Amino acid sequence: MDFLKSAVASAIAKGTGQPFSLGDRVDIGDSVWALHNGTKRDDGSACSVFSFDINANKSRLPLAKNAVRKFRTLRHPGVIKVLDTIERLTFWQTETNLYIVTERIVPLSWPVKRRSLNEETAKWGLYTVASTLKFINEDASSVHGAVRASSVFTSESGEWKLGGFEILSSMKEDDAIIYTYGSIMPDAARFTPPEVVKGGWDTIKRHPLAAVDAYGLGILIFEVFNGNFAGGDQVGKTTNIPPSMQQSYKRLCTANPKLRLSPGHFVEQGKKHGGFFQTPLIRMTEDIDSLGLKTDAEREEFVNELDELSEDFPEDFFKMKVLPELLKSVEFGGGGPKVLSATLKIGSKLSADEFNAKLTPVVVRLFGNPDRALRVCLLDNLPSMIDNLPQKVVNDKIFPQMTSGFTDVAPVVREQTVKAVLTIINKLNDRIVNGELLKFLARTANDEQPGIRTNTTICLGRIAKNLGQSTRSKVLIAAFTRALRDPFAHARVAGLLALSATIDVFTEDDCAAKILPAICPSLLDKEKLIRDQANKTLDLYVQRVRKHANTMTDTVIPPTAPTEAKPDVRVATPNESSWAGWAISSFTNKVAAANGEIEPTANGSKPSDPETARSASVPRPAKSSPSTQLDLPKQVLRPTAQPLNRSMSDRPAPPVHSPEPEEDGDDVFDAWGAMDDDEGDEDPFTAAVSSPKPTSPAPSSTAAPKVPYDDGGEPDFAGWLAAKNQTKAKNPLPKGLTKAASTNTVATRSSAASTTKPRTVVAPKKIDTKPKNEEIDDDWGDAWD
């Protein structure tokens, strides 16, 4: 039968006429009420429902009706907030159930039995209950009469709320319910004061009004710190009671009601300087409601106390009570960045749904605030918020407002904005990352502040995987190689580290052609830190390039058919004894051809080279006939003069060092650079290999060997001077000497033609004396003209 009545009551409560729907039943022990979790139908918010079955508990119906009446009339922050009270009637118009709809609450007996309350939270809750009893006793002139753990509940904000108003009575009423029904309260014998046990509830008229509630407050203190209250013999024991509270606690539990400390005096003693109610949590609770009216100094003091709170304080209180007040202070009361930091610290403990409902709209509005201090604070705390921010909100609302930070005048704003990119990069879509974001990072990469340039390089290295494949390699190579040339040492280190971290992003061709040449100058950096890192980075890229090279084919040239005629060209192969064997062979072939053309002389005159000129004094194996020697100057001297000079110029001569080449010979790198940079100049190596072919000597009709005239071993000093003058004629500056030399040559040839004696061919001796004449000095002037 009881089951049927309960089912009918539940069905009635779930009917369409009720403003709530009942949920699970909550265990509150021995009570006249049944507590259910409920949901309001109008907005879907959570609530709690006290349900009383009239037919099942008719003897306690006056207690239930008294509780309904007191909940309607008694309003205080420490009292359970009542949303609605309902008396439900059946279709027979008879009373069946009473309902009290309140805010969502949880019995305090749950954490008390588990002993899960820390000391600071327990003091904070006891302070709330004692302050509420003070209001009931002094302001309402009433007696609660049933103060115990089962009469206290905790709200969603973690605050302690006082309930259990079944025998709450005003002492101004002669027929107060406490006198008649106080003894039928559940488990009354265990919690009744000793004077009531002896003389009944009427005795409270002869004692102080707050004596009964003071005794119940003492029992509640014992329950909170010990977990359970067995009976009257435990009253007044100080087991687990904080030392600072023990003396006041004993006065609450004294057997003489006239000596008991009232709840109001208990609060006053705890609030004294150094008292047991002087805690950061209690001070914050009192100040939070007036935060918007405080001065800057008072607000800063409040935030400092908020930061000092430990992590074991009730999180629900911060979410439900502190957070809304902080948001109001930040957005409208000028709370500043310090209040914002405390707000976001609390917001990090919210769920995603709670965060989006309470914090996201405020955060979006604050990003548009021109206050730089607030913007920097938001950017600093962005890591704690980003997981709760939807991607659409970040792309459409937050990032567009962040972009002004990349170009802000204040360097700290630009730097924090660059750092914040790492936080929001996973929330941005590809269009923003590869478009707007890269444009802004290109600006900060060239920022005047070296720290911002360094952080931009680090940022690019860490977001490389988020960049598009079409732009990733090009952007990163340009950014990192630029960083390697940065005058700031840490920026160069950042570039090397970024290259090491993103080695997998680049192709092997980019590694070999673009990155390795850019790293090499850092090997000789003035900073040892950079040199060391450059060696590490270089090794990574060299190993990758070598590994890829081992997988490549030996050649891409297709094999030729075996029947084709192959030109006789010397090609380098791996079997060559030297890496440049083909070049050396080609060069020696040309030199050998030149030597073969120069060695046969057409007349008896000595070559202009000093060594060949002096070879006339060396004994020769055979001598030609005099007739042959006399005929040589006439027949061969003039036609073979020009080919002889050209062949001698082609033949390698002993090096003649002039002063200017000696000065330039020290700088080897400049010489290689000149060869590479001057495109119009002829490559000296090419010029040496491909020299002009000398004119072949005229064929001789006689077969006699052409041997120079033997002067009997006498040193040919005039020939040596002629060769020396001819060597000096190669200097481009003294043009007059070239002109004089050509004149002397003509004179020598004419004198040789006018005589038939062999000894008269001494033209070099005449040339030696002419440069000393004054006529040659005039020729110098003519040559410069």
Side-chain angles (χ1 to χ4, degrees), residues 696-715:
S696 59
S700 176
S701 58
T702 61
K706 298 179 178 60
V707 181
Y709 177 77
D710 187 7
D711 56 358
E714 180 181 357

Side-chain angles (χ1 to χ4, degrees), residues 532-550:
D532 295 342
Q533 185 58 46
N535 279 282
K536 296 177 182 179
T537 306
L538 186 71
D539 291 341
L540 292 176
Y541 278 87
V542 169
Q543 290 176 6
R544 182 180 177 187
V545 172
R546 286 177 176 172
K547 184 177 180 180
H548 178 70
N550 293 333

Side-chain angles (χ1 to χ4, degrees), residues 360-379:
T360 299
V362 179
V363 169
V364 171
R365 290 194 296 267
L366 289 178
F367 264 108
N369 195 308
D371 188 353
R372 288 191 175 93
L374 284 177
R375 293 177 62 85
V376 172
C377 182
L378 283 171
L379 295 173

Side-chain angles (χ1 to χ4, degrees), residues 36-349:
H36 295 265
N37 291 328
T39 303
K40 295 180 65 177
R41 293 185 183 275
D42 54 355
D43 57 0
S45 60
C47 65
S48 293
V49 180
F50 288 94
S51 174
F52 181 81
D53 188 351
I54 296 175
N55 296 325
N57 298 287
K58 288 184 179 181
S59 61
R60 295 178 177 178
L61 181 58
L63 299 178
K65 287 188 175 183
N66 183 69
V68 172
R69 185 170 62 253
K70 295 301 180 181
F71 270 122
R72 285 175 177 174
T73 58
L74 190 62
R75 300 291 181 177
H76 188 270
V79 175
I80 297 175
K81 183 179 179 181
V82 178
L83 305 177
D84 197 1
T85 57
I86 302 170
E87 294 183 9
R88 184 68 180 177
L89 302 178
T90 65
F91 58 90
W92 292 291
Q93 299 299 317
T94 58
E95 295 179 350
T96 57
N97 294 89
L98 294 177
Y99 299 104
I100 303 175
V101 184
T102 68
E103 60 181 323
R104 176 61 65 87
I105 55 176
V106 175
L108 180 65
S109 56
W110 289 5
V112 166
K113 291 178 180 179
R114 294 194 303 265
R115 301 188 65 177
S116 60
L117 296 172
N118 60 74
E119 183 176 333
E120 292 298 321
T121 303
K123 288 181 178 180
W124 172 59
L126 290 172
Y127 171 77
T128 302
V129 173
S131 301
T132 306
L133 289 175
K134 176 183 177 181
F135 166 77
I136 292 174
N137 297 150
E138 297 179 3
D139 298 339
S141 301
S142 301
V143 176
H144 187 282
V147 179
R148 63 196 70 169
S150 59
S151 299
V152 182
F153 301 83
T154 58
S155 65
E156 288 184 304
S157 62
E159 297 175 280
W160 290 18
K161 302 287 186 174
L162 184 61
F165 292 165
E166 288 79 13
I167 59 174
L168 192 149
S169 303
S170 175
M171 293 296 98
K172 296 179 181 180
E173 301 174 356
D174 295 334
D175 57 347
I177 194 172
I178 193 173
Y179 302 136
T180 307
Y181 296 97
S183 59
I184 67 173
M185 281 288 296
D187 207 3
R190 188 155 53 106
F191 298 97
T192 302
E195 68 273 12
V196 175
V197 173
K198 294 180 180 179
W201 287 98
D202 290 338
T203 59
I204 63 176
K205 297 179 182 179
R206 300 187 296 270
H207 300 298
L209 183 145
V212 176
D213 291 340
Y215 188 83
L217 180 60
I219 295 176
L220 176 62
I221 293 173
F222 185 87
E223 286 184 288
V224 167
F225 289 106
N226 291 277
N228 190 21
F229 177 72
D233 56 344
Q234 291 182 336
V235 176
K237 290 186 177 180
T238 59
T239 306
N240 298 325
I241 305 297
S244 59
M245 190 184 293
Q246 289 180 3
Q247 184 177 0
S248 300
Y249 159 73
K250 289 180 179 180
R251 293 188 60 185
L252 290 172
C253 301
T254 183
N256 188 350
K258 295 182 180 180
L259 299 179
R260 287 177 193 156
L261 191 68
S262 67
H265 288 93
F266 181 74
V267 171
E268 290 178 1
Q269 289 188 0
K271 291 292 292 180
K272 289 181 180 180
H273 182 70
F276 47 84
F277 284 153
Q278 286 291 329
T279 64
L281 187 57
I282 293 175
R283 287 196 299 268
M284 185 190 65
T285 305
E286 295 179 341
D287 295 341
I288 191 63
D289 294 333
S290 59
L291 182 61
L293 303 177
K294 293 182 179 297
T295 62
D296 293 341
E298 293 174 342
R299 190 183 295 113
E300 184 175 358
E301 182 180 358
F302 170 81
V303 175
N304 292 335
E305 291 181 354
L306 188 62
D307 292 337
E308 293 175 1
L309 296 179
S310 60
E311 296 294 334
D312 56 0
F313 287 152
E315 295 182 2
D316 294 335
F317 176 72
F318 290 103
K319 296 177 183 178
M320 302 297 295
K321 297 292 291 186
V322 179
L323 183 60
E325 296 298 328
L326 291 177
L327 290 175
K328 293 177 184 178
S329 178
V330 170
E331 196 169 6
F332 306 110
K338 199 157 190 179
V339 177
L340 178 60
S341 298
T343 304
L344 298 177
K345 182 179 179 182
I346 297 173
S348 62
K349 301 178 181 179

